[in-house]
C-alpha cells in the first residue's frame, strides 16, 4: 500500500520512489510528480539526467555511475 502525504498526494522518498507501508514491496518511481516534495527543479528538463541517475542508482546500485560527474557527459 502506498503512503499519502497530508494533501493526499503520494509521499516520495529522496530517490523519487513512492513510500510504501511494506518495505519489501516493489518500488515505483515517479518523475515529473515531485515538485511539491523535491522543489521547483523537478520540472526542469535540464536536470532530468541527474534525476534518472538517482533512480538508476536506487533501482540497480551496481549499474550506477561510480562518480557524480560520470553521469553527465562532458561537452
Amino acid at each position: 500500500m502506498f503512503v499519502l502525504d497530508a494533501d493526499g498526494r503520494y509521499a516520495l522518498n529522496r530517490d523519487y520512489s513512492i513510500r510504501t507501508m511494506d518495505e519489501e514491496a516493489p518500488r515505483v518511481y515517479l518523475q515529473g510528480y515531485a515538485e511539491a516534495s523535491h522543489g521547483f527543479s523537478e520540472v526542469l528538463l535540464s536536470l532530468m539526467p541527474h534525476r534518472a541517475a538517482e533512480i538508476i542508482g536506487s533501482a540497480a546500485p551496481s549499474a550506477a555511475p561510480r562518480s557524480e560527474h560520470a553521469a553527465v557527459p562532458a561537452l
Side-chain angles (χ1 to χ4, degrees):
M1 171 143 305
F2 296 127
V3 176
L4 301 178
D5 66 14
D7 294 321
R9 294 183 299 255
Y10 293 122
L12 299 180
N13 296 309
R14 176 68 187 118
D15 66 358
Y16 299 91
S17 63
I18 301 174
R19 289 186 192 150
T20 62
M21 295 196 181
D22 177 12
E23 288 192 24
E24 300 299 319
R27 292 186 196 143
V28 175
Y29 295 88
L30 298 177
Q31 276 196 330
Y33 180 84
E35 186 175 355
S37 60
H38 287 59
F40 177 72
S41 65
E42 171 63 12
V43 298
L44 298 175
L45 292 177
S46 62
L47 295 177
M48 189 172 283
H50 295 286
R51 292 191 299 268
E54 281 192 51
I55 291 171
I56 290 169
S58 173
S62 63
R66 295 197 187 273
S67 87
E68 188 175 308
H69 301 289
V72 181
L75 298 177

